[in-house]
Amino acid sequence: MFALVANQKVVIDWPCFWVVLGGSFLPRGVYTVLLFKMQFMLLFSRQGKLRLQKWYVPLSDKEKKKITRELVQTVLARKPKMCSFLEWRDLKIVYKRYASLYFCCAIEDQDNELITLEIIHRYVELLDKYFGSVCELDIIFNFEKAYFILDEFLLGGEAQETSKKNVLKAIEQADLLQEVWWFQIWPLSLLVFSRISPAKPRHEYFNVPVY
Amino acid sequence: MLIVCWSPVMVEVWNGPGDKKTVEGPSRMPAPIRLRELIRTIRTARTQAEEREMIQKECAAIRSSFREEDNTYRCRNVAKLLYMHMLGYPAHFGQLECLKLIASQKFTDKRIGYLGAMLLLDERQDVHLLMTNCIKNDLNHSTQYVQGLALCTLGCMGSSEMCRDLAGEVEKLLKTSNSYLRKKAALCAVHVIRKVPELMEMFLPATKNLLSEKNHGVLHTSVVLLTEMCERSPDMLAHFRKLVPQLVRILKNLIMSGYSPEHDVSGISDPFLQVRILRLLRILGKGDDDSSEAMNDILAQVATNTETSKNVGNAILYETVLTIMDIKSESGLRVLAINILGRFLLNNDKNIRYVALTSLLKTVQTDHNAVQRHRSTIVDCLKDLDVSIKRRAMELSFALVNGNNIRGMMKELLYFLDSCDPEFKADCASGVFLAAEKYAPSKRWHIDTIMRVLTTAGSYVRDDSVPNLIQLITNSVEMHAYTVQRLYKALLDDISQQPLVQVASWCIGEYGDLLVSGQCEEEEPIQVTEDEVLDVLEGLLVSNLSTPVTRGYALTAIMKLSTRFTSVNRIKKVVSIYGSSIDVELQQRAVEYNALFKKYDHMRPALLERMPIMEKTASNGPTEIVQTNGEAEPSVVEAKHPPPVTQPTNQANDLLDLLGGNDVVPVIQTTVPTKPASAGGELLDLLGDLSLSGGPAPAPATSVPSSQPAFLLDGLTSPPLFNDIAAAGIPPMTAYNKNGLKIDFTFERANPNPNIAVITIHASNSTEADMTDFVFQAAVPKTFQLQLLSPSSNVVPTLNQGTVTQVIRVLNPQKQQLRMRIKLTYTHKGSAVQDLAEVNNFPPQSWQ
């Protein structure tokens, strides 16, 4: 759509979008955005279905959908042996595939792509720990949990915690604060105790939320 | 009894959240289905339509539940809405419900409410401001997880109004001893500063003790906060330079400390924090000798001690290299950094190779020789399967081309051009042209290279390459025979590459006599007869592959051959056939040439004489036109200008007018003594061809002929008039004049493409202080293309003592009215200034 540009030929989309040298590609009312790190994160399946979206820049729904569609197509078209980075508009896209899911982050030109891969990997590890060998279905059925974990790990596009243990601890304690059904049926917990298998993650038994 | 009574609940628990039976809620309505149940149902939909129907039904239920102000199931409904939103269905009607959930006392409600707010709301809707008060209350909540939710939401989507209102709370939380809140508050502060930079000072006191914190989460976020502040304000940068020793110490502890399970990532202690500290060091050390000195040792240590078998290690090394390159580091350290990148190039991991190429590209200007040593590895990356890597390798390869290695590098790059994907061809071709022009070891090599590009990627080259090549060929007199022979052979092989065919036709027309004479010193001469040559050219005229422009070239070439070959009758016949061509342009030419045969045959040899050597005209303005032999020679430039004397353009017979006009004879007579004047006429016409090739648009076709008669007459009979027009050019304009900063535009028309306007900006400063960090940016509508060259400086000196100039090239193929928006940023008296302006009053000559 647009790009900018010293010493380089560019096409700029006229009507509404303005671009800042080395800055955000996104249309901004103010030009203070020079340092946005991660701009958004998308999770989508091999079939191109969106599983999670986190936007750290304000955009209209229409724009979000357009970006998502374009990006999903581009990433899915890439061959498995290609590198995990791709220049798209004036952003860098860092993506990685885990089983049937693609994790895809948009970062700025100045950012370190390799550490972004580590951030993606860390998030996958957190999901894995929380759900117990996570699969796509876990994320579909518990998408809100996946968001909670993401928000406990990243804030405004920056990592807020570098220890896995601390993130999971915070999530579990917050989970306990949720008003769950099992609190109301606690006398039964004795009856059901024998049926809990350690293979199943805890939340499936105890954190059945009201929603 | 008890068991029977509880059984529905029990079943619900056992079968998980998707059980069909739902617990009776306190509401009068039947309880809505659960989120998991909804997801399961939607996933059973076989078609898009079925899914849409289910969702519509559910949405209707949710809406009515919202209308009933049902508190019990609001959370469930919003959660379901969020799922539908992810599937791409509208969910805006849940926005207010999110706010209600946030205001609820229950943690589950708050958690879903904040999640919904982050997904459904953003600063574009005013609704988000209603949240401000709730967030404020929650920031002061007694439970840290509620506070955490509020901080997270503020840090993710807070608008500037919200940030202004809540900055105080954030600052307070930044000072707490609770590390869970402190780390979130630090990132929130980053967001606040991004939104409202003037609030930065407020967080300054709180930053004092941030780095002495033990918790890595707080340390990491604090470093992010410090980075943000340093990048935004030079004062902060100077202030925080004193932190360098402390940062060095933290980094040292990280790499020296033993295994710490909590922060270990495949053998490396907290890579996230290390990368962040390295980045902050980079900003602090940039342009500062003392700080750079203080971090030299630790950078060397990180560079040598980091384990590189895994991606994490390489991530740290990569960041280290960037830091070394940016700060004023010792030369030994720089070599070490380039060598790390060289090692990266050999890595099996494509990602690592990619970052190596990217960073080498950044450093190639400063450390050219060091990068040059890795040339062969870089060239090997051209063969990579991955487009991202290929593109980077191509850019880097062009950056590495110089006079010494041009032959070898070009061989590789031409090979790449042969085999690469279409998306690379245009860039690669123009890269080859540029490099060849700059470093060509010999003319023959230069011509060979360009011809090679035209044969392999002909349809991808830029329009102006045809006139460029023709100019090059004309100027290398000793190569004419060789060139025409090569081009003739190329034509026999392939007539589909239009640019090549055009150049070949032009050359055959011009040097056909050399072709048939078989005198070629450079190569084994080929034996061709005149008829064979004419066969080929006529073949071009009838071929389906030829564009109208190419046909024009071919017809003119045939015409020119009438003075070089003996078979004039055949040529006459061909020319007369096209007198009734359906293509107006071709018909016009044919009619003109026919007239030349019939009425003015005595002038024909002089008119069709060989072209004089063209002077190289750089992209200078018309004022610098060189005149030789009394003829304005580089009329390539002139032809592009709007006709100085505007007469109704009569396309069909301009040449006839020219020749048939009463004043023609005197004109020719006056110039005969110097040089056959008719050559001038022909020159113009042929250059008309060149400009035609500039674009298929009808615009040049009409403007060129109309300018010719006027030019020929004015230029030859009264040279002063011509000079006046040329000198007047396009009037300059003032694009911006505010706060003492004045920006003037001056215009030139680029050579040889008439569609490029070259605008030079001149920024001057009438205030009593320098404007530093001056950055000029421009944007144009989509139909234009813009190229900004580097500015002469980034400081606009005070009191108009000098100007900053910067060249903008605007490609305007459709000749539309030029519009431009400009953005200016500079630092004046210590404060950053930004301004936007729209420039609409461009003089019409600059775009017509």
Side-chain angles (χ1 to χ4, degrees):
Chain A
M1 190 174 359
F2 29 62
L4 219 113
V5 205
N7 305 329
Q8 185 185 343
K9 205 169 108 185
V10 282
V11 184
I12 297 185
D13 197 7
W14 173 244
C16 46
F17 300 122
W18 290 91
V19 193
V20 180
L21 253 186
S24 154
F25 82 104
L26 297 159
R28 311 288 308 161
V30 273
Y31 287 95
T32 48
V33 201
L34 291 165
L35 269 175
F36 261 124
K37 293 310 171 203
M38 191 181 294
Q39 311 238 349
F40 54 83
M41 184 171 191
L42 301 175
L43 259 70
F44 50 87
S45 71
R46 236 167 61 197
Q47 289 76 37
K49 288 250 188 214
L50 191 61
R51 296 298 180 213
L52 200 86
Q53 50 174 342
K54 187 79 192 175
W55 300 83
Y56 296 109
V57 281
L59 287 172
S60 73
D61 262 10
K62 211 175 126 197
E63 287 164 301
K64 286 180 191 172
K65 271 186 194 165
K66 193 174 166 230
I67 292 173
T68 313
R69 202 168 44 235
E70 229 173 273
L71 213 53
V72 168
Q73 270 175 9
T74 324
V75 171
L76 288 180
R78 285 173 65 88
K79 296 188 184 72
K81 277 193 183 156
M82 292 184 169
C83 77
S84 300
F85 314 127
L86 124 109
E87 278 146 60
W88 181 79
R89 300 193 184 168
D90 61 349
L91 289 178
K92 271 193 297 209
I93 305 296
V94 178
Y95 71 92
K96 190 154 186 188
R97 185 178 150 181
Y98 288 87
S100 59
L101 271 188
Y102 283 87
F103 290 69
C104 176
C105 289
I107 56 170
E108 217 220 273
D109 189 49
Q110 312 274 317
D111 268 336
N112 185 330
E113 302 93 334
L114 298 178
I115 204 74
T116 310
L117 275 180
E118 286 303 314
I119 287 185
I120 293 179
H121 186 71
R122 170 59 61 91
Y123 180 50
V124 175
E125 283 180 322
L126 289 169
L127 290 172
D128 202 56
K129 271 257 165 67
Y130 183 83
F131 288 107
S133 56
V134 66
C135 67
E136 196 186 334
L137 280 181
D138 287 320
I139 294 174
I140 296 172
F141 281 100
N142 302 286
F143 71 92
E144 83 286 1
K145 300 277 187 204
Y147 277 118
F148 295 153
I149 297 170
L150 186 62
D151 286 338
E152 203 56 61
F153 175 46
L154 298 178
L155 199 162
E158 295 284 355
Q160 53 170 308
E161 181 56 71
T162 61
S163 147
K164 263 184 276 189
K165 205 183 77 191
N166 284 353
V167 176
L168 290 170
K169 204 172 75 190
I171 288 287
E172 283 177 12
Q173 287 179 350
D175 280 352
L176 285 179
L177 280 180
Q178 276 195 223
E179 297 75 11
V180 293
W181 290 108
W182 82 275
F183 264 135
Q184 295 153 22
I185 55 162
W186 69 269
L188 283 174
S189 55
L190 291 176
L191 286 173
V192 306
F193 212 54
S194 55
R195 294 184 56 180
I196 295 177
S197 93
K200 280 254 173 187
R202 238 169 48 104
H203 78 271
E204 278 198 19
Y205 289 108
F206 295 110
N207 295 341
V208 179
V210 283
Y211 41 82
Chain B
M1 190 57 198
L2 177 87
I3 289 188
V4 172
C5 173
W6 280 97
S7 61
V9 184
M10 209 178 104
V11 167
E12 159 118 9
V13 172
W14 292 127
N15 292 355
D19 188 78
K20 293 281 185 295
K21 294 169 204 132
T22 47
V23 185
E24 286 295 317
S27 143
R28 280 160 285 111
M29 280 177 62
I33 61 164
R34 287 170 164 273
L35 169 66
R36 318 279 185 240
E37 177 63 18
L38 174 76
I39 297 176
R40 195 157 306 167
T41 321
I42 289 176
R43 282 172 59 80
T44 60
R46 264 181 246 103
T47 61
Q48 199 72 37
E50 205 178 325
E51 179 183 292
R52 203 175 308 125
E53 198 182 325
M54 284 175 184
I55 297 229
Q56 267 163 7
K57 222 166 92 191
E58 188 58 32
C59 275
I62 291 176
R63 275 174 200 269
S64 70
S65 172
F66 283 161
R67 261 196 306 276
E68 303 222 342
E69 292 294 327
D70 172 25
N71 287 328
T72 326
Y73 292 112
R74 181 176 291 130
C75 171
R76 181 179 291 186
N77 284 331
V78 169
K80 286 192 280 191
L81 213 48
L82 294 182
Y83 182 75
M84 298 182 213
H85 178 248
M86 184 138 65
L87 294 181
Y89 295 92
H92 50 89
F93 58 91
Q95 286 171 351
L96 278 174
E97 303 300 312
C98 290
L99 301 184
K100 288 178 194 159
L101 283 177
I102 292 172
S104 152
Q105 288 306 309
K106 291 183 186 155
F107 184 70
T108 311
D109 284 358
K110 277 194 192 296
R111 219 177 177 191
I112 293 291
Y114 276 121
L115 179 63
M118 282 190 273
L119 289 173
L120 300 182
L121 285 172
D122 67 53
E123 60 184 47
R124 286 147 181 257
Q125 291 109 11
D126 287 336
V127 189
H128 83 273
L129 286 175
L130 300 175
M131 268 190 346
T132 313
N133 208 34
C134 282
I135 294 187
K136 191 169 192 156
N137 291 338
D138 283 347
L139 286 175
N140 295 314
H141 203 273
S142 56
T143 315
Q144 63 168 1
Y145 297 106
V146 175
Q147 289 172 294
L149 281 178
L151 281 171
C152 183
T153 310
L154 178 61
C156 179
M157 57 157 297
S159 60
S160 42
E161 293 95 320
M162 225 156 139
C163 287
R164 259 181 243 278
D165 288 347
L166 299 172
E169 260 72 22
V170 174
E171 199 260 350
K172 227 184 317 173
L173 289 174
L174 191 56
K175 287 187 193 148
T176 59
S177 55
N178 181 341
S179 56
Y180 179 79
L181 293 175
R182 218 169 162 196
K183 66 186 187 198
K184 285 179 194 276
L187 289 184
C188 242
V190 172
H191 182 82
V192 171
I193 294 173
R194 280 176 193 167
K195 287 282 172 195
V196 197
E198 60 264 32
L199 290 176
M200 184 156 41
E201 306 256 311
M202 183 174 181
F203 297 101
L204 193 56
T207 56
K208 234 177 235 161
N209 303 319
L210 281 176
L211 288 185
S212 48
E213 173 74 41
K214 287 276 170 295
N215 181 296
H216 282 210
V218 179
L219 262 183
H220 183 267
T221 52
S222 311
V223 174
V224 176
L225 176 60
L226 294 178
T227 312
E228 184 72 31
M229 292 166 103
C230 289
E231 291 232 317
R232 291 217 171 254
S233 133
D235 293 345
M236 291 286 173
L237 186 63
H239 175 80
F240 287 125
R241 283 227 164 92
K242 64 173 195 278
L243 292 179
V244 170
Q246 210 178 343
L247 288 165
V248 168
R249 205 157 48 240
I250 298 173
L251 192 56
K252 195 171 212 150
N253 282 339
L254 278 176
I255 56 171
M256 289 308 176
S257 70
Y259 177 74
S260 78
E262 205 178 325
H263 300 109
D264 183 81
V265 179
S266 32
I268 287 169
S269 184
D270 209 338
F272 302 105
L273 184 54
Q274 288 197 37
V275 165
R276 267 300 172 180
I277 293 178
L278 285 166
R279 189 172 305 170
L280 181 53
L281 287 178
R282 171 154 103 226
I283 293 161
L284 293 175
K286 205 171 193 171
D288 187 79
D289 289 319
D290 293 342
S291 314
S292 300
E293 174 75 37
M295 57 185 85
N296 262 331
D297 284 351
I298 188 75
L299 291 175
Q301 230 167 339
V302 178
T304 45
N305 286 0
T306 307
E307 167 72 38
T308 58
S309 59
K310 293 270 164 46
N311 180 55
V312 249
N314 289 319
I316 293 173
L317 274 186
Y318 175 41
E319 198 67 45
T320 313
V321 169
L322 294 181
T323 304
I324 291 174
M325 290 313 189
D326 263 14
I327 66 168
K328 297 197 161 184
S329 45
E330 293 160 357
S331 62
L333 206 52
R334 296 183 86 85
V335 173
L336 179 67
I338 301 268
N339 286 343
I340 291 177
L341 294 178
R343 267 205 327 268
F344 275 10
L345 280 180
L346 298 170
N347 202 303
N348 281 331
D349 187 342
K350 279 191 196 309
N351 297 337
I352 313 268
R353 290 210 295 276
Y354 174 85
V355 295
L357 289 170
T358 317
S359 8
L360 284 173
L361 198 56
K362 279 182 202 154
T363 54
V364 71
Q365 300 307 334
T366 46
D367 300 78
H368 191 85
N369 289 332
V371 181
Q372 200 65 258
R373 260 184 279 142
H374 301 283
R375 200 175 62 228
S376 59
T377 334
I378 293 165
V379 169
D380 279 345
C381 291
L382 285 175
K383 301 184 185 91
D384 210 292
L385 291 174
D386 191 326
V387 281
S388 305
I389 291 182
K390 259 194 224 174
R391 177 161 293 277
R392 279 295 141 100
M394 181 182 87
E395 287 164 11
L396 194 52
S397 300
F398 279 122
L400 286 178
V401 173
N402 60 26
N404 299 325
N405 59 23
I406 175 107
R407 284 175 190 268
M409 289 296 280
M410 270 312 156
K411 223 170 99 191
E412 295 288 345
L413 285 163
L414 286 173
Y415 179 72
F416 173 71
L417 183 65
D418 275 346
S419 55
C420 67
D421 302 333
E423 56 175 305
F424 290 110
K425 295 216 169 173
D427 287 343
C428 189
S430 52
V432 171
F433 285 154
L434 276 179
E437 196 177 323
K438 224 164 156 187
Y439 302 110
S442 71
K443 285 228 162 124
R444 174 171 170 177
W445 182 91
H446 193 174
I447 291 173
D448 281 351
T449 308
I450 296 188
M451 272 176 39
R452 177 83 189 279
V453 174
L454 287 179
T455 42
T456 51
S459 39
Y460 298 97
V461 298
R462 294 235 317 266
D463 292 338
D464 57 357
S465 55
V466 172
N468 276 344
L469 179 56
I470 290 178
Q471 189 177 357
L472 178 73
I473 293 171
T474 336
N475 291 355
S476 11
V477 180
E478 66 287 356
M479 303 292 300
H480 286 167
Y482 166 73
T483 315
V484 71
Q485 187 170 323
R486 283 285 311 265
L487 283 166
Y488 181 74
K489 280 190 202 159
L491 262 196
L492 292 179
D493 288 343
D494 180 15
I495 55 163
S496 61
Q497 307 276 14
Q498 294 305 304
L500 179 77
V501 175
Q502 289 166 9
V503 177
S505 319
W506 191 89
C507 288
I508 293 173
E510 200 66 21
Y511 313 117
D513 45 340
L514 299 177
L515 179 64
V516 289
S517 68
Q519 299 162 337
C520 180
E521 290 159 14
E522 310 269 332
E523 227 181 29
E524 182 72 15
I526 49 167
Q527 297 303 325
V528 281
T529 63
E530 294 181 355
D531 276 339
E532 281 169 345
V533 176
L534 287 173
D535 283 345
V536 170
L537 289 175
E538 283 180 40
L540 294 179
L541 280 172
V542 294
S543 164
N544 291 334
L545 297 166
S546 302
T547 61
V549 176
T550 310
R551 294 207 175 101
Y553 271 96
L555 189 67
T556 309
I558 291 176
M559 184 61 194
K560 281 194 230 166
L561 288 179
S562 69
T563 59
R564 293 161 177 69
F565 284 2
T566 47
S567 43
V568 179
N569 282 336
R570 181 173 172 185
I571 292 172
K572 267 186 188 164
K573 218 159 87 192
V574 175
V575 169
S576 63
I577 290 172
Y578 284 89
S580 55
S581 168
I582 213 163
D583 179 359
V584 178
E585 174 65 29
L586 210 56
Q587 187 189 27
Q588 179 192 338
R589 275 170 206 277
V591 169
E592 287 164 8
Y593 296 151
N594 239 335
L596 208 52
F597 272 126
K598 285 183 186 142
K599 293 192 202 161
Y600 305 98
D601 210 31
H602 59 285
M603 284 164 53
R604 190 166 51 87
L607 269 173
L608 299 176
E609 197 176 58
R610 189 162 296 170
M611 295 273 288
I613 292 170
M614 289 186 246
E615 294 274 320
K616 176 89 183 155
T617 46
S619 51
N620 295 323
T623 42
E624 290 178 40
I625 283 174
V626 192
Q627 294 208 358
T628 43
N629 295 338
E631 296 166 3
E633 201 188 274
S635 43
V636 189
V637 190
E638 274 327 289
K640 275 86 193 182
H641 279 282
V645 181
T646 36
Q647 296 165 339
T649 311
N650 192 348
Q651 257 211 58
N653 54 5
D654 60 308
L655 187 59
L656 287 176
D657 280 354
L658 196 62
L659 297 167
N662 293 332
D663 52 347
V664 165
V665 181
V667 168
I668 288 171
Q669 281 169 348
T670 53
T671 46
V672 162
T674 51
K675 205 179 177 204
S678 44
E682 199 222 21
L683 173 75
L684 290 170
D685 188 44
L686 295 177
L687 287 166
D689 289 353
L690 300 194
S691 67
L692 274 176
S693 68
T702 51
S703 72
V704 168
S706 63
S707 67
Q708 280 173 7
F711 165 59
L712 185 69
L713 298 176
D714 295 344
L716 294 179
T717 52
S718 54
L721 174 60
F722 161 66
N723 282 344
D724 282 352
I725 292 159
I730 307 170
M733 61 176 281
T734 301
Y736 180 91
N737 195 354
K738 217 196 254 178
N739 304 331
L741 177 65
K742 186 171 175 218
I743 296 193
D744 290 322
F745 283 4
T746 56
F747 301 91
E748 289 156 14
R749 207 52 85 86
N751 202 8
N753 188 338
N755 297 331
I756 294 181
V758 179
I759 306 174
T760 313
I761 72 153
H762 306 267
S764 58
N765 168 11
S766 58
T767 62
E768 64 280 11
D770 283 351
M771 292 172 175
T772 54
D773 303 325
F774 176 76
V775 179
F776 172 89
Q777 290 159 22
V780 288
K782 207 190 211 161
T783 48
F784 302 84
Q785 287 186 354
L786 179 78
Q787 187 181 25
L788 268 176
L789 305 185
S790 320
S792 59
S793 149
N794 65 348
V795 178
V796 193
T798 166
L799 299 170
N800 294 327
Q801 281 165 0
T803 56
V804 171
T805 57
Q806 187 169 5
V807 174
I808 316 172
R809 291 156 64 95
V810 181
L811 178 64
N812 180 5
Q814 297 170 21
K815 305 253 176 210
Q816 290 188 344
Q817 175 165 10
L818 192 52
R819 287 184 299 160
M820 187 182 282
R821 277 194 200 165
I822 57 176
K823 188 191 154 207
L824 300 155
T825 48
Y826 54 90
T827 311
H828 190 232
K829 294 180 186 165
S831 61
V833 186
Q834 263 185 8
D835 202 14
L836 282 172
E838 182 153 349
V839 188
N840 287 329
N841 50 339
F842 282 96
Q845 298 96 309
S846 65
W847 44 270
Q848 267 168 359

